[in-house]
Amino acid sequence: MRALLTAVFRKEMRDHLRDRRSVSSVLGGSLMGPVLFAVMFSVLASWNRQDKPLELPVVGRAHAPSLMAFLERYGVQLSDAPPDYESRIQAGTLDAVLIVPEDYGKDFAAGRSAKVQLVMDNSRNKARFTIRRTQALLSQYAGVLGTQRLMARGVAPELASPVRVEEVDLATPERLAASILNMIPLFLVISCFMGGLNVAIDTMAGERERGSLEPLLLNPVQRGTLVVGKWLATTVFSCTMVVVVAVAFMLVARRVPLQDLGVKVSLDAVAAAAMVGSVLPLALLASAMQMLVATFARSFKEAQTYLQLLMMLPMIPGMMLALSPIQSQTWMFVVPVLGQELLVSELMRGEPLGALPFVLSTVGCVALAAVCLAAISRLLSDEKIVFGRS
C-alpha cells in the first residue's frame, strides 16, 4: 500500500510541477500580501517620520510674532499661504494652513482668549500627521501662555488643573505591533487555501473533465489510497506556500521602517517558525476541503467558481478579529481557521502559550480533514460522480 501511495503522490507532484505557469501564478498571488504590507507601511512610515520638517503656511504672520517665534523655535518651517489655499487643501497639495486674524493682537494684549484657525481636510490620511503635530504645538503654546498669565497674577498654575491624569500604558511593544499588523494572520491563512487551489481542482475536476479519472480508478489501487496520494500532493503545495509567505513577511518586516510608526517588531526566524507551525495543520484541512468541493464540480471552471467562494471562509474570522478583537478562549482553538488566526495573533503579541492551543487546533483540523477524505473516497464509488461529465 505504501508503494502504491508513493506512486500516486509522485505522479501528482510530477504532473503539477511541470505546469510552471500555474505554480508561478499561485506564488505571485500569495506574495501579494507581503508586497501590500511593504508598500502600505512604507508609505505610512514616510508620512509619520518624526524627523520630517513640519511645513506650515500661515495667513497673517505679522499679527502673532510671539506665536511665530515659538513655532520656528520648534523647527516649523513657516511660509505665506497662497490666496487659493482652500482649494489646494481640498486638492491635497497643502496639508493645513494657520490663519491669524487681525484682532489677534488686541485680544492677546487684553488678556482674552486669542483665536486662530487651522484650516485642514481630515478626510486625507496623508495630512493627519501634519495636523496632529500642528495641534500639539498650538496646545503647548496655549499652555505656556496660560501658565505665564497665572504666575503674573500671583496664582499658582496648579490651581487651574485640580486633577492631573497620568496614563500608565501596560501594553508591550509586541502587543502594540500585533494590533497594527493584524493583516499577517489573515494572509497566512489565505495562503493555505491558495497554495493547493489549482492542484486540488486539477486532481479531481480536471481529471474527470479530461476523461482520465475512470482509467485511473480501474488500476488495482484502493480509492482511499488514491485519494490520500492526491491529497498529500495538494498539501505539499499548500504547506510550501505558507512557508514562502511567512518568510516573505519576516524579510519585509525587517526592511520596512516600522519604528517611524512607533512599532517595534521582533519577527525573527523563531517567531516565523512558530507561526508556520500553527498554520500548517490548516493546510491539511484546506487541501481536503478543496478536493471535496472539486469532486462535486463537473468541470474545471465550475470547480474554480466553487473554490473561489470557499476562499471567503478565512476572511470572515480575519475581518472579525481585525475590526473587533476578542478575548481568546480555549474552545476557539479547536475551530479551524479561527484557531489558526488566534494562534498567530497571540504569538505576535508575545503571549505565553502552552502546548494545549496547538494540540487543539491540530486535532480539529486533522479530524475534519479525515472526514473530508472519507467523503471523497465514498463519492468516487458513485457512478454519478465518476461519469457525471456534461
Side-chain angles (χ1 to χ4, degrees):
M1 178 178 177
R2 180 178 299 179
L4 295 176
L5 179 62
T6 304
V8 175
F9 172 73
R10 288 179 177 178
K11 176 258 182 189
E12 296 296 337
M13 291 294 297
R14 183 171 56 251
D15 290 344
H16 294 291
L17 287 176
R18 288 174 179 172
D19 192 359
R20 296 182 179 179
R21 182 176 297 180
S22 176
V23 174
S24 300
S25 64
V26 173
L27 179 62
S30 299
L31 291 178
M32 285 299 295
V35 172
L36 178 63
F37 174 88
V39 173
M40 182 176 68
F41 283 97
S42 295
V43 172
L44 290 176
S46 65
W47 291 349
N48 291 269
R49 285 182 58 187
Q50 295 290 342
D51 57 349
K52 182 180 179 181
L54 177 59
E55 300 178 358
L56 183 62
V58 182
V59 176
R61 295 173 60 182
H63 302 152
S66 61
L67 175 59
M68 299 301 110
F70 176 85
L71 294 175
E72 289 178 341
R73 189 162 59 248
Y74 280 87
V76 181
Q77 298 180 0
L78 302 176
S79 61
D80 293 329
D84 57 341
Y85 60 86
E86 290 186 356
S87 59
R88 293 196 180 189
I89 290 176
Q90 292 176 344
T93 56
L94 288 179
D95 292 339
V97 171
L98 180 64
I99 300 178
V100 182
E102 295 182 0
D103 56 353
Y104 175 89
K106 184 184 298 183
D107 293 335
F108 184 85
R112 297 190 296 267
S113 296
K115 297 180 181 179
V116 295
Q117 291 181 347
L118 185 62
V119 184
M120 55 190 173
D121 184 358
N122 264 326
S123 63
R124 294 178 50 249
N125 293 328
K126 184 180 180 181
R128 289 180 181 175
F129 185 65
T130 300
I131 294 171
R132 289 199 301 267
R133 290 180 63 183
T134 305
Q135 290 174 337
L137 287 174
L138 293 176
S139 298
Q140 183 178 351
Y141 178 71
V144 171
L145 284 181
T147 301
Q148 292 176 351
R149 289 181 176 181
L150 290 175
M151 292 178 64
R153 289 165 173 78
V155 179
E158 289 79 8
L159 294 177
S161 302
V163 177
R164 184 174 62 181
V165 179
E166 293 183 357
E167 295 182 355
V168 181
D169 192 356
L170 300 180
T172 62
E174 291 78 10
R175 291 181 179 180
L176 291 174
S179 63
I180 297 176
L181 309 180
N182 50 20
M183 61 185 298
I184 294 181
L186 176 60
F187 280 108
L188 282 176
V189 171
I190 290 178
S191 65
C192 288
F193 288 82
M194 289 192 63
L197 178 65
N198 291 337
V199 182
I201 296 175
D202 190 71
T203 53
M204 305 307 296
E207 288 208 8
R208 185 169 57 181
E209 187 178 28
R210 293 190 299 268
S212 60
L213 183 60
E214 301 95 303
L216 187 62
L217 293 174
L218 292 176
N219 287 284
V221 182
Q222 295 182 357
R223 281 169 171 75
T225 303
L226 184 65
V227 170
V228 172
K230 291 176 175 291
W231 170 70
L232 288 177
T234 307
T235 303
V236 167
F237 281 90
S238 181
C239 293
T240 302
M241 205 56 58
V242 172
V243 175
V244 170
V245 172
V247 172
F249 271 117
M250 181 184 66
L251 297 177
V252 167
R254 293 179 178 179
R255 301 289 298 178
V256 176
L258 295 173
Q259 63 275 5
D260 292 336
L261 297 173
V263 177
K264 181 181 178 182
V265 180
S266 58
L267 191 58
D268 52 7
V270 177
M275 290 191 294
V276 170
S278 63
V279 176
L280 283 183
L282 182 61
L284 309 178
L285 175 59
S287 301
M289 291 177 60
Q290 289 172 334
M291 288 180 59
L292 178 60
V293 174
T295 305
F296 283 100
R298 291 171 294 180
S299 64
F300 196 97
K301 291 184 178 180
E302 185 177 346
Q304 281 183 323
T305 303
Y306 293 157
L307 291 181
Q308 285 175 357
L309 296 176
L310 184 63
M311 287 286 294
M312 299 295 294
L313 178 62
M315 298 183 183
I316 297 174
M319 295 301 296
M320 180 182 66
L321 293 176
L323 297 176
S324 179
I326 58 177
Q327 182 66 33
S328 60
Q329 300 181 18
T330 304
W331 65 268
M332 295 181 181
F333 295 104
V334 186
V335 182
V337 179
L338 177 61
Q340 279 67 43
E341 294 188 356
L342 283 176
L343 274 177
V344 177
S345 299
E346 296 295 316
L347 289 172
M348 292 180 60
R349 287 169 54 88
E351 298 291 343
L353 291 174
L356 182 60
F358 294 92
V359 173
L360 292 177
S361 63
T362 302
V363 170
C365 291
V366 171
L368 286 179
V371 172
C372 292
L373 294 178
I376 297 172
S377 301
R378 180 172 298 181
L379 288 174
L380 291 181
S381 302
D382 189 352
E383 295 184 356
K384 294 181 179 179
I385 297 293
V386 178
F387 301 101
R389 301 191 307 275
S390 58

